[in-house]
DNA sequence: TTAGATAAAATAATCGATTTTTTAATATAC
DNA sequence: GTATATTAAAAAATCGATTATTTTATCTAA
């Protein structure tokens, strides 16, 4: 019944990019680790050219560092950088949320409700970790989507990816998930009420709490 | 006397990246233009692999767009995007300037004075256009350098590159250069006086004036 | 020993050619 | 004529092999 032969979608280069991006964010590689290109080639079963193109993009994006003639490394983590990222999230996501609340339409409201609902209904345990992460990212993207600035959204996305390198350090044990998830729903409520001020305050708190989680994991990790 | 044979610095890939970045910002390629890789290969005298790696990085950075199986294009320009970029510059550079004024030390003050002086002393006409651009970028980088956030600096740099695609459209005639250059010096003054509020106000005005220049060029261009 | 030179191995970067996909040109049916 | 199919040309993506550079191991002289 189901389409027996699935032709791979996209180019080899774009697929390995997506895969590596996820793996870098989820902590599959150790911070500071040097990437052995030939090993990657085997592990991911891709050719050298598409692999190098993906690595170059990831370096430009900030999920890898590159030094001439000595390949690619996973960027080190630091308390200072975590603070920087969290601070920037506060500024940029706060700004974006206020603007989204000012401009978002009825379709946005519907998307928000849907995204929050799916997020709550997916148990983070039970081997659904990666799915939960997807839904979580999607929720936060949806929240700020109608802010009106392509560049702001781009920067926020980038910061999320960086932040998650800290938040997802170590074993996949649920932390204060419940509390954070409640905040997701409260954020939706306030957004629907168009209460920009309160929403921003809650977003600040949400980022602060996430920061505490990330920091704890970072410190345990080190 | 002078070192007769200069070995090329960096990898072929990193050199072509730098060159293309400059050329994309300076408007050497038309907006929306499709890049013919084989032509580039000849024009810049580089191999296919380093060239593609550079193009991939530029796409991740936002100076090119990439569509699977159909290569690279120079991103289109739009009034909306120009407004977006300028708005983001207002927010981010304002933020960065305030923080820089709070944290910058004596060395920073010296760097600032030097950067502003060199900028004024380089005539934008007389075939020094590219040199002036370099000094101008450097001045603005210096101004916000001690803001304390690596990510903020990174985003600002990216926005500058994007903004300059608009500002540098069309022939290289000096516009209201004098007025803008005066502002550079006033910015230094206010920074040295640690007057964050006034400095930010002036920076806002500076970006607004630059925006007017960029918009005029964009409209003439279209 | 140990700092520095030398050789060998490993890795990164690049090249030239091949394969795949898209685009353009031409033909064929309605 | 217009739409669809077929073929030819062009371009993008990928592969396999080569070259250049760095890293590691080994040697030698103070």
């Amino acid at each position: 019944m189901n389409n027996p032969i699935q032709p791979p979608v996209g180019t080899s280069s774009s697929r390995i990019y997506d895969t590596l991006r996820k793996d870098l964010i989820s902590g599959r590689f150790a911070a500071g680790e040097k990437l052995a290109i030939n090993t990657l080639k085997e592990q991911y079963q891709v050719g050298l050219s598409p692999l190098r193109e993906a690595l170059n993009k990831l370096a430009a994006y900030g999920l890898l560092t590159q030094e001439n003639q000595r390949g690619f490394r996973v960027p080190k983590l630091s308390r200072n950088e975590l603070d920087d990222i969290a601070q920037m999230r506060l500024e940029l996501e706060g700004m974006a949320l206020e603007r989204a609340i000012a401009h978002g339409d009825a379709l946005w409201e519907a998307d928000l409700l849907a995204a929050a609902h799916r997020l709550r209904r997916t148990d983070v345990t039970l081997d659904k970790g990666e799915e939960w992460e997807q839904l979580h990212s999607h929720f936060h993207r949806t929240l700020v989507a109608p802010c009106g600035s392509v560049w702001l959204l781009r920067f926020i996305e980038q910061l999320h990816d960086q932040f998650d390198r800290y938040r997802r350090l170590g074993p996949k044990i649920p932390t204060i998930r419940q509390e954070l998830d409640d905040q997701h729903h409260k954020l939706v409520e306030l957004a629907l009420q168009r209460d920009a001020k309160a929403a921003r305050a809650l977003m600040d708190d949400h980022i602060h709490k996430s920061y505490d989680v990330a920091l704890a994991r970072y410190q345990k990790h080190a």
Side-chain angles (χ1 to χ4, degrees), chain A:
Chain A
M1 292 291 253
N2 286 326
N3 203 334
I5 295 167
Q6 281 284 12
V9 65
T11 63
S12 179
S13 174
S14 71
R15 271 177 287 130
I16 187 62
Y17 174 86
D18 291 339
T19 307
L20 278 173
R21 172 168 175 257
K22 280 197 198 105
D23 288 349
L24 284 164
I25 292 167
S26 72
R28 165 158 182 175
F29 303 96
E33 178 181 347
K34 167 135 179 211
L35 294 187
I37 298 204
N38 282 322
T39 309
L40 291 183
K41 216 173 75 124
E42 288 168 23
Q43 288 188 327
Y44 291 97
Q45 284 293 302
V46 283
L48 185 59
S49 309
L51 177 56
R52 284 190 60 92
E53 293 193 2
L55 295 174
N56 272 282
K57 266 196 276 210
L58 289 163
Y61 184 66
L63 280 172
L64 287 176
T65 60
Q66 184 175 23
E67 224 185 320
N68 280 346
Q69 241 85 41
R70 50 198 67 176
F72 299 87
R73 288 187 169 278
V74 181
K76 289 225 180 85
L77 304 174
S78 78
R79 170 75 191 263
N80 272 349
E81 201 198 30
L82 174 57
D83 292 356
D84 182 6
I85 293 163
Q87 176 67 39
M88 287 303 292
R89 279 195 60 192
L90 281 174
E91 300 277 6
L92 299 196
E93 285 187 67
M95 188 190 305
L97 180 56
E98 286 188 3
R99 294 198 205 168
I101 286 174
H103 300 126
D105 59 10
L107 180 55
W108 173 59
E109 298 181 351
D111 288 346
L112 254 186
L113 284 167
H117 181 73
R118 270 182 289 166
L119 182 57
R120 173 166 281 170
R121 291 294 296 257
T122 302
D123 201 334
V124 70
T125 56
L126 297 174
D127 208 28
K128 299 262 188 162
E130 197 49 54
E131 192 182 341
W132 185 89
E133 292 293 344
Q134 285 297 115
L135 292 172
H136 183 240
S137 294
H138 180 254
F139 170 77
H140 278 280
R141 257 199 310 278
T142 305
L143 194 56
V144 293
C147 76
S149 168
V150 171
W151 284 97
L152 185 51
L153 292 177
R154 187 176 173 131
F155 295 151
I156 288 172
E157 183 93 359
Q158 212 168 344
L159 288 169
H160 264 268
D161 283 356
Q162 294 293 332
F163 188 83
D164 285 355
R165 293 186 64 219
Y166 291 84
R167 184 177 59 78
R168 297 181 66 183
L169 276 173
K172 291 175 187 57
I173 44 160
T175 49
I176 52 169
R177 190 69 69 209
Q178 190 53 55
E179 194 177 351
L180 289 168
D181 195 47
D182 285 347
Q183 290 191 326
H184 293 145
H185 280 265
K186 291 224 181 71
L187 278 168
V188 174
E189 253 181 68
L190 294 171
L192 296 193
Q193 293 167 223
R194 308 284 163 168
D195 189 341
K197 202 126 189 191
R200 179 158 190 167
L202 180 54
M203 177 62 97
D204 279 5
D205 191 51
H206 186 66
I207 294 173
H208 273 120
K209 284 203 167 49
S210 306
Y211 168 76
D212 291 340
V213 171
L215 179 58
R217 292 197 165 220
Y218 171 68
Q219 284 172 338
K220 186 172 290 181
H221 158 85

